[in-house]
Amino acid sequence: MDVVKKDVEKINGHVEIESWENKGTRISIKIPLTLAIIQTLLIKMGQHMFAVPLTSVREIIQVSPADISTIEGFEVIKFRDETIPVLRMNKVFNLKDYDSSKSLKYLVLATTGVKTVGFLVEELVGEQDVVIKPLAEHVCESRGLAGSTILGDGTIALVLDVTEVIEDVISKQRQFAATEMRHGQQAHRSSLVGSPD
């Protein structure tokens, strides 16, 4: 721990250790905000700017409405023998002032582990290194956001937490499957009750 403490202090950070008897220990490492710099892909939806960590970006493709289909209530796209969930940014983050009639032609394929989702967006702005700033709890309670950043022109961009977004997609898919299974079982029981002996 001494080695860690010395290395963190070299970059003007500090280590805090809190211990509770019979409960455990919490170690907090704090580093200067300027070290929290990541490479991102900036994407735009109307007036809203988002930053996707480049480490999560697998590929960017152009799509048309005809490429997107619906399976079990979820929008998907078939791409290289994969069925990939399609997420509309305006729906994921409830962008009420977004004009949903606009053409969405880019699909940013983002991945964590073996799971991939596609973010359907209006405009690709480009790659940029950004400094992440945490979001205050009272400002935004949306899951799927890792923080925010201020761009060179003063625009605020929200940094996506791709892992959380994918977790939410998987959770919704499981809930849908469980609901369908319950409905199927109820229908089966009803048919058995109504059938003659």
Side-chain angles (χ1 to χ4, degrees):
M1 204 62 226
D2 287 341
V3 175
V4 173
K5 184 174 182 293
K6 287 178 183 176
D7 286 344
V8 170
E9 287 175 346
K10 284 179 185 176
I11 57 173
N12 297 320
H14 66 277
V15 178
E16 295 178 356
I17 301 176
E18 298 176 274
S19 294
W20 298 271
E21 189 175 352
N22 299 322
K23 289 186 178 180
T25 301
R26 179 170 65 193
I27 301 172
S28 301
I29 299 177
K30 297 184 179 180
I31 60 174
L33 188 61
T34 52
L35 294 179
I37 298 175
I38 63 168
Q39 291 182 307
T40 66
L41 171 68
L42 296 179
I43 57 180
K44 197 172 183 182
M45 291 290 289
Q47 300 302 311
H48 304 275
M49 190 82 75
F50 294 90
V52 186
L54 269 183
T55 52
S56 299
V57 176
R58 173 179 138 185
E59 197 166 349
I60 301 168
I61 60 176
Q62 281 191 288
V63 294
S64 67
D67 297 323
I68 300 171
S69 56
T70 303
I71 298 178
E72 296 182 340
F74 296 92
E75 286 189 307
V76 298
I77 187 171
K78 292 280 189 180
F79 182 69
R80 293 180 186 161
D81 300 324
E82 287 182 81
T83 300
I84 299 173
V86 173
L87 304 179
R88 296 175 184 267
M89 299 292 289
N90 55 311
K91 291 184 178 179
V92 173
F93 295 107
N94 196 24
L95 307 179
K96 294 179 180 178
D97 59 342
Y98 178 73
D99 182 359
S100 58
S101 66
K102 289 184 178 180
S103 174
L104 303 178
K105 55 183 178 179
Y106 296 105
L107 194 67
V108 178
L109 302 183
T111 182
T112 56
V114 296
K115 189 68 177 176
T116 299
V117 297
F119 293 109
L120 194 59
V121 300
E122 178 186 345
E123 183 180 343
L124 301 174
V125 179
E127 296 179 13
Q128 188 168 322
D129 292 350
V130 302
V131 178
I132 300 180
K133 299 189 177 188
L135 287 171
E137 290 184 10
H138 67 278
V139 173
C140 184
E141 299 179 352
S142 292
R143 275 179 57 81
L145 296 176
S148 64
T149 188
I150 300 175
L151 305 178
D153 62 357
T155 301
I156 295 176
L158 297 174
V159 182
L160 298 190
D161 185 327
V162 175
T163 300
E164 275 194 354
V165 173
I166 288 178
E167 285 174 357
D168 286 352
V169 169
I170 294 172
S171 175
K172 287 175 182 176
Q173 288 176 336
R174 286 176 178 165
Q175 288 174 6
F176 182 85
T179 301
E180 289 296 295
M181 186 177 293
R182 282 197 300 271
H183 288 164
Q185 290 172 345
Q186 289 172 355
H188 179 66
R189 283 197 295 269
S190 297
S191 66
L192 290 176
V193 170
S195 61
D197 292 329

